[in-house]
Amino acid sequence: MNRTTWIAAAAIAAVVALAAGYWLGARRDAAPEKALTAGRVAAPSERKVLYYRNPMGLPDTSPVPKKDPMGMDYIPVFEGGEPPAKAGTVKISLDKVQLLGVRTEPAAERALLRAVQAVGTIQANERLLYKVTPRFEGWIEKLHVNTTGQAVARGQPLMEVYSPELVTAQDEYVIALRGIEDTRASGPEAQAVMQRLADGVQRRLRNWGISDTELETLRSEGKARQFLTYRSPAGGVVLQKPSVQGMRFMPGEVLYEIADLSSVWLVAEVFERDLGLVKVGQQAKLRILAYPDKLFAGRVVFISPTLEADTRTGRVRIELANPGGLLKPAMYGSVQLSAGHPRGKVLAIPDSAVLDSGTRQVALVQRGEGLFEPRSVKLGMRAGGYVEVLEGVAAGEQVVVRANFLIDAESNLKAALATFGEPAQPAASQLHRGQGTVQAVDAKGGMVEIEHGPIASLKWPAMSMEFKVKDRAQLARLAKGQAVEFEFSEQGAGEFVIERIAPGAPAAHGKGH
């Protein structure tokens, strides 16, 4: 090999070595960058998705991916990337949430059953009260029932009475009966006259309260009796007995008061706040002080239309059977009524979910992991550990039922509640930009409808929607079909307000802005 050839070969080898060294060096330098890039790409996939929020900013979240009614995908919210909480919302770190033992429960429709407690006394059933009042004048010759509280049966003799009117009527009845027999040979007309006379006297005796037993005895004996037996018109217990042997009585005078105690009343005093829960026909459970081991069943038959001013109670009458005569008038007892809500199932939350300051009732609604929003609530009926919610919480929303007082202490919730009722302070909002075409202008309502391209900052696709305009004077420069450029911000949940709008190039609906 000559000298020239050797020099050329050495030069080529040097070039190749330099190129190889450069390639290896570049490869080593690129490796860390590539690894770093790969790490940056992989990181989001490792981040935990907390929930998915509404793409239009509405207060609606989902634990799983979903679409809104316009077909837009809900936006994932990663751990550490939650949207800023709105004014009044309390944020607690997840470790403190676990440490406090926070537990939530959804607001749901429930049938509320409330036990109404009352006390009362046993009274005789007024429908089964009887007063023995003769309809004639007379004297008591003998008393067969002579003590108060004595039990009597229907038709049982009460007393022997003497009355001149009764004796005269008996004589007339006996004569009429004999006349019917004596006129058998005189023809049917004479017999009919005597029969009418006998029937008239018989009606008079019955109208005076003489029983059929006494009339049958009178017919069989065929002669008037000086003393007639007066019998009980009903079975029961003698409550009053003003009659005394030998006394004279006048028509309409009460000689006995008899009560049938096979059915009795318990007249209960129900507090004013519970009267609205009591209905006629409602079933009741009763316990009587004399029989603490027995449970009696009754039914509400009457609710007093008036209220006792001194006790602020209303009288409720409960009717119940009295087998064996265990229940006696003036006995003391308690009653329990199971009352449901007039509307059936209602929206309710647990009692423990309510923070009551005396002037305001507040519930903590969970808006996300570690995010709690205090809500003023309007409450209704309470029963079984739950309370009806009239306003403030929607069905399905999670309310804090345990450790809500600890959250109050941990997050200084009182400061958040103090902002309630005060004018809202404007917060700096992010501006979003877009291009589109005016579809309609509502100058009176301060609204404009724009068909716009995708909004990259909100991950919106191209669509048509209405915006509120901050300065209505800007609407005077707009017309349908005009291409515009605009900037807008989110002022509230789902409310987007245009801050600036001006004529611009036609929107490119395939690009983000």
Side-chain angles (χ1 to χ4, degrees):
M1 182 182 295
N2 57 29
R3 181 179 178 84
T4 303
T5 303
W6 181 86
I7 293 174
I12 293 173
V15 171
V16 171
L18 288 173
Y22 176 79
W23 177 79
L24 288 173
R27 182 178 179 86
R28 283 195 299 269
D29 293 339
E33 183 178 354
K34 181 176 181 181
L36 181 60
T37 304
R40 286 197 300 265
V41 173
S45 63
E46 297 172 359
R47 294 167 63 191
K48 179 183 177 182
V49 176
L50 298 178
Y51 56 91
Y52 295 82
R53 65 178 178 86
N54 189 286
M56 299 297 293
L58 298 176
D60 180 27
T61 61
S62 171
V64 297
K66 62 181 288 188
K67 294 179 180 294
D68 71 354
M70 293 190 296
M72 299 171 61
D73 291 323
Y74 273 49
I75 301 171
V77 177
F78 297 96
E79 187 173 11
E82 301 93 331
K86 66 180 183 180
T89 301
V90 176
K91 180 172 176 56
I92 305 292
S93 62
L94 295 182
D95 58 337
K96 288 184 179 179
V97 168
Q98 295 178 355
L99 182 63
L100 295 175
V102 176
R103 187 168 65 85
T104 62
E105 187 173 323
E109 299 281 336
R110 290 181 174 87
L112 300 182
L113 293 177
R114 178 176 170 183
V116 175
Q117 306 284 348
V119 295
T121 55
I122 297 293
Q123 297 184 11
N125 188 334
E126 292 179 4
R127 299 188 184 95
L128 303 178
L129 280 178
Y130 301 91
K131 293 184 183 294
V132 177
T133 55
R135 301 171 185 174
F136 51 87
E137 181 185 356
W139 286 260
I140 299 176
E141 180 66 20
K142 181 181 180 181
L143 286 175
H144 293 290
V145 176
N146 54 11
T147 58
T148 302
Q150 185 174 344
V152 296
R154 183 183 179 87
Q156 178 178 336
L158 294 176
M159 55 188 172
E160 301 288 337
V161 298
Y162 165 75
S163 172
E165 292 177 305
L166 278 180
V167 174
T168 301
Q170 288 180 83
D171 286 333
E172 292 177 0
Y173 187 55
V174 170
I175 292 172
L177 291 177
R178 290 174 181 172
I180 293 174
E181 295 295 329
D182 294 341
T183 56
R184 287 185 181 275
S186 302
E189 291 184 0
Q191 269 194 323
V193 171
M194 297 307 296
Q195 185 65 51
R196 286 196 295 271
L197 178 62
D199 291 343
V201 178
Q202 183 179 350
R203 281 195 301 273
R204 193 192 322 164
L205 290 170
R206 281 179 172 165
N207 290 339
W208 281 345
I210 306 304
S211 65
D212 289 340
T213 302
E214 297 302 314
L215 292 176
E216 183 61 32
T217 301
L218 183 60
R219 283 192 293 266
S220 62
E221 292 181 353
K223 63 178 181 178
R225 299 171 59 190
Q226 183 178 3
F227 304 111
L228 202 64
T229 303
Y230 206 88
R231 298 177 181 273
S232 174
V237 176
V238 177
L239 297 183
Q240 294 184 29
K241 187 199 71 66
S243 56
V244 179
Q245 189 166 314
M247 70 175 284
R248 178 189 180 187
F249 59 83
M250 300 300 291
E253 187 175 350
V254 177
L255 301 182
Y256 289 92
E257 184 176 355
I258 299 172
D260 182 356
L261 297 181
S262 61
S263 172
V264 294
W265 289 344
L266 185 138
V267 178
E269 302 284 341
V270 178
F271 287 112
E272 181 179 3
R273 66 172 181 268
D274 295 329
L275 279 175
L277 301 175
V278 182
K279 308 295 180 186
V280 173
Q282 197 169 356
Q283 297 300 313
K285 296 179 181 179
L286 304 97
R287 289 194 181 276
I288 305 302
L289 191 61
Y291 312 105
D293 58 330
K294 295 183 181 294
L295 185 65
F296 297 87
R299 183 174 62 90
V300 176
V301 295
F302 177 77
I303 301 172
S304 175
T306 60
L307 201 69
E308 298 294 325
D310 296 338
T311 60
R312 307 308 300 171
T313 58
R315 293 189 175 183
V316 174
R317 189 181 300 157
I318 299 168
E319 187 173 322
L320 63 156
N322 186 20
L326 294 177
L327 304 177
K328 299 172 175 55
M331 274 187 170
Y332 185 82
S334 61
V335 59
Q336 177 176 307
L337 300 165
S338 294
H341 199 286
R343 298 199 306 272
K345 288 188 175 183
V346 294
L347 183 64
I349 59 176
D351 280 331
S352 59
V354 180
L355 294 169
D356 196 338
S357 66
T359 58
R360 174 183 291 142
Q361 291 77 41
V362 175
L364 288 175
V365 179
Q366 187 178 34
R367 302 297 298 166
E369 292 290 341
L371 288 176
F372 303 96
E373 178 186 345
R375 300 262 192 91
S376 288
V377 291
K378 185 178 179 182
L379 306 178
M381 174 180 170
R382 293 176 184 264
Y386 287 87
V387 58
E388 177 189 6
V389 179
L390 302 175
E391 294 177 5
V393 177
E397 288 189 311
Q398 297 285 338
V399 294
V400 179
V401 298
R402 180 180 176 185
N404 44 5
F405 286 99
L406 296 177
I407 292 175
D408 183 0
E410 177 67 26
S411 62
N412 194 14
L413 179 58
K414 289 188 173 77
L417 295 178
T419 63
F420 283 12
E422 297 179 359
Q425 299 298 322
S429 302
Q430 179 185 356
L431 284 178
H432 308 280
R433 294 177 175 80
Q435 292 181 344
T437 304
V438 175
Q439 301 297 310
V441 178
D442 180 8
K444 185 177 181 180
M447 305 289 291
V448 60
E449 181 181 349
I450 300 175
E451 182 180 358
H452 61 77
I455 308 296
S457 57
L458 290 172
K459 298 184 180 179
W460 286 2
M463 60 180 175
S464 179
M465 65 178 291
E466 287 188 340
F467 293 90
K468 191 173 182 180
V469 179
K470 187 174 183 180
D471 183 4
R472 297 192 181 187
Q474 299 181 78
L475 296 176
R477 303 192 298 268
L478 302 180
K480 183 177 179 181
Q482 182 179 2
V484 292
E485 293 179 349
F486 58 98
E487 294 179 347
F488 65 97
S489 62
E490 185 177 3
Q491 300 296 322
E495 182 181 2
F496 298 93
V497 178
I498 291 179
E499 304 283 348
R500 185 190 65 82
I501 186 168
H509 296 309
K511 299 179 181 180
H513 299 275

